[in-house]
Amino acid sequence: MCGICGIASAHAPLDVDRLRAMSQTLIHRGPDSEGMHTDERVGIAARRLAIIDLTGGDQPIANEDGTVVVVQNGEIYNYRELMHELERAGHRFRTRCDTEVLAHGYEEWESRLWERLRGMFAVAVWDARTRQIVLARDRFGIKPLYYRALGGELSFASELDALPHGDVDLDALEAFLAFNCVPSPRSIFVDIRKLPPGHTLTWSEGATRLEQFARTGPLEARH
């Protein structure tokens, strides 16, 4: 498993130290390498557990001109087929890693990318062309992704501990005691939500939009 996190603010400059601290809380998820991309009021980071392209797949990974930057926790099983298709369309790859397929794939297909993927993933895309962050989670919810959208700021992470939080959500606590789980989109905290399986969340200048791209599975696994 790997770990991803990020911050985007409509008003305040990026607090790089805060982003670095968020990434540090995820070191157990990705001990092999760490990386960060910042752009004024936006930053994304990743902790990597190297599985594919051990030497060349460090994250974040960008497209050819650096306008689309991606971090991922997961595996894309059909990445080779998508890579060949994107190469035929003129895209140039620097690695043989499945995460780079996401960068070029989003540049080529934008929101149509997600339904083409076969795998388990939690992904964050920074699109500098439109000044948007897009979060996406696989259709079965295998890979976790939590987010907090408050006061024009979006923060997200693979684990709750990386995010600031407020009070305990008593309805979520009741559900946990009754069913031994907290169903999506709730988390145990009032101001933090899980991105539901098969959904994307788009952040743009403080506004968020949630969209479904696939039917979701009935259960979530913790990975």
Side-chain angles (χ1 to χ4, degrees), residues 15-170:
D15 185 340
V16 177
D17 289 339
R18 179 183 160 201
L19 179 62
R20 189 174 291 113
M22 291 170 63
S23 179
Q24 181 66 23
T25 66
L26 303 172
I27 188 171
H28 59 285
R29 298 185 67 92
D32 293 330
S33 68
E34 62 176 313
M36 182 185 303
H37 176 84
T38 63
D39 188 346
E40 297 178 1
R41 301 191 303 272
V42 173
I44 58 177
R47 289 278 180 173
R48 184 183 182 219
L49 178 65
I51 297 175
I52 299 173
D53 192 353
L54 302 186
T55 60
D58 288 346
Q59 301 181 37
I61 292 182
N63 63 339
E64 294 94 334
D65 61 6
T67 56
V68 176
V69 187
V70 176
V71 290
Q72 177 197 196
N73 169 30
E75 295 181 54
I76 308 302
Y77 303 140
N78 63 331
Y79 79 97
R80 290 186 180 89
E81 297 94 315
L82 296 175
M83 182 181 292
H84 294 154
E85 185 175 351
L86 288 162
E87 286 176 330
R88 290 194 296 270
H91 292 269
R92 301 184 306 278
F93 282 78
R94 295 185 296 274
T95 76
R96 309 312 289 177
C97 181
D98 58 345
T99 303
E100 189 175 359
V101 167
L102 301 173
H104 298 291
Y106 187 84
E107 180 186 14
E108 181 74 19
W109 301 307
E110 295 187 346
S111 63
R112 291 172 292 138
L113 167 65
W114 313 116
E115 62 193 30
R116 300 173 66 104
L117 301 179
R118 300 293 177 266
M120 52 180 182
F121 56 85
V123 175
V125 177
W126 167 237
D127 187 346
R129 304 166 301 177
T130 59
R131 311 298 296 177
Q132 294 181 335
I133 278 189
V134 180
L135 308 180
R137 191 175 180 207
D138 66 80
R139 66 193 67 208
F140 296 109
I142 298 173
K143 293 299 180 180
L145 193 56
Y146 298 88
Y147 70 93
R148 181 177 185 263
L150 191 65
E153 179 187 277
L154 173 72
S155 55
F156 64 89
S158 296
E159 295 187 2
L160 280 170
D161 287 347
L163 297 173
H165 55 77
D167 296 333
V168 169
D169 184 332
L170 296 181

